Amino acid sequence: NSEDVRCKCICPPYKDHSGQIYNKNVSQKDCDCLHVVEPMPVPGPDVEAYCLRCECKYEERSSVTIKVNNVILLA
């Protein structure tokens, strides 16, 4: 299920740009700032410096397991 995977990038403040969290459904190999951060908040020359500050993590979850656990907890 495409909703069960995502790449989450947490980018701290940089120059006059505030910190931001970006999420996108991409493959694990594309889980990096260049593929996830859209639109890029900084101009071309600052992209590399901005991306080096971002922390990107690939996350997987099982929505079926989450739903079953919720049913058990509510029962």
Side-chain angles (χ1 to χ4, degrees), residues 6-59:
R6 71 176 178 180
C7 181
K8 179 179 182 181
C9 290
I10 301 172
C11 300
Y14 179 77
K15 293 188 178 178
D16 60 342
H17 300 281
S18 61
Q20 188 107 8
I21 297 174
Y22 299 90
N23 292 304
K24 191 171 183 183
N25 291 341
V26 295
S27 67
Q28 190 169 8
K29 70 178 181 69
D30 290 334
C31 185
D32 59 40
C33 174
L34 293 174
H35 289 98
V36 176
V37 177
E38 290 180 358
M40 188 61 69
V42 296
D46 287 335
V47 169
E48 185 177 0
Y50 181 79
C51 281
L52 286 173
R53 298 169 58 88
C54 296
E55 181 182 337
C56 297
K57 285 193 258 182
Y58 185 75
E59 300 175 342

